[in-house]
Amino acid sequence: MLTSTFQRLQAYLDSQVIGQPDLIKQLLIALLADGHILVEGPPGLAKTRAVKVLADCIEGSFHRIQFTPDLLPADLTGTDIFRPETGEFTFQSGPIFNSLLLADEINRAPAKVQAAMLEAMAEKQITAGRETYSLPALFLVMATQNPIEQEGTYPLPEAQLDRFLLQLNVEYPDATSELEILRLNRGEAMGARSVEPVQLTQKEIFAARQEVLNIHMAEEVEHYIIRLTMATREPERYSDQLASWLQLGVSPRATLALDRCARAHAWLSNRDFVTPEDVQQMTYPVLRHRLLLSYEAQAEGIATDTLISQIIEQVACA
């Protein structure tokens, strides 16, 4: 029942955000796995539109924050306001106290703001002054960054990158999708793309998350996940080339993320068990922002996805 609801939601989102099926699917997986997503891609590829359409389908509040170099932590978290009529300070919550948060161009904010994001993403709470405030039970951050323009940006620290469940690289749509976008923008394709909107309650989301956790994962698949993550820490066991490309492997947080995302992928595929293919499909978005390439790999122009492909090829499924 819940699986069919999410599949209908996926179909609706695909009808509203044309040419980005991977982005839509990964958004739903992040929602099911209770994690945050980092989206990297050039401007104009519907990153903002995708999360807005998803927010419209979910019971909960949505807010967009445009990250800039002059942004302060209080602009994000809120601050204590003095009330003259009572002579007391009261906390005025900031935009981060929303269920769905779009952090647009997150790498343009300085270190102090990133530190505030770190606590929110890791612990679902905010500390302001001497008090700590809990964030909503449903809390999803979708952050975007432009991989091309680097002027005026601050690279995200590894500790913060590790707290993103997934990193998704958004590509340009193909010619067929581009034509459909053109016609949809003129209103010519509304009839052909009309799919009934879906409304999800938070109760349904939490119930779906529990179903995802209950998906069966064989012991062999668990060991496969462990071998994949261990290969990033001990690449010399597999090949000298991998060892020369990798400077730093992934943390146990990546193992947990791969487990939950593989389960969510299987659940969305309407299966009650996880296959090695589910794990392989999710290895790229789970690992690509957590691996640190060596200077040698960067000099050779090796992409992180190329390295992940090598790991998948060399690590046995069973």
Side-chain angles (χ1 to χ4, degrees), residues 17-43:
V17 183
I18 301 168
Q20 300 294 351
D22 287 341
L23 173 61
I24 297 305
K25 188 170 186 179
Q26 303 296 349
L27 272 176
L28 294 181
I29 287 175
L31 182 65
L32 288 166
D34 191 15
H36 312 293
I37 186 168
L38 176 63
V39 183
E40 189 172 281

Side-chain angles (χ1 to χ4, degrees), residues 195-269:
V195 178
E196 192 70 23
V198 178
Q199 288 296 321
L200 276 178
T201 65
Q202 293 194 18
K203 183 178 180 180
E204 288 175 319
I205 293 171
F206 295 137
R209 287 177 177 177
Q210 189 58 49
E211 287 188 10
V212 167
L213 290 176
N214 292 335
I215 289 282
H216 174 69
M217 180 179 287
E219 188 174 342
E220 292 80 3
V221 179
E222 288 181 334
H223 286 297
Y224 180 47
I225 291 175
I226 300 300
R227 285 196 298 273
L228 286 171
T229 55
M230 292 303 295
T232 70
R233 303 175 201 169
E234 303 171 353
E236 64 278 357
R237 293 179 54 189
Y238 294 90
S239 75
D240 292 338
Q241 187 179 60
L242 273 182
S244 67
W245 285 353
L246 263 172
Q247 181 177 339
L248 186 68
V250 298
S251 72
R253 194 178 280 119
T255 306
L256 301 177
L258 195 50
D259 172 81
R260 296 195 69 160
C261 290
R263 292 174 187 270
H265 190 275
W267 188 85
L268 271 180
S269 302

Side-chain angles (χ1 to χ4, degrees), residues 107-120:
N107 58 334
R108 292 197 177 277
K112 285 186 177 181
V113 177
Q114 302 300 349
M117 287 293 295
L118 202 65
E119 182 183 13

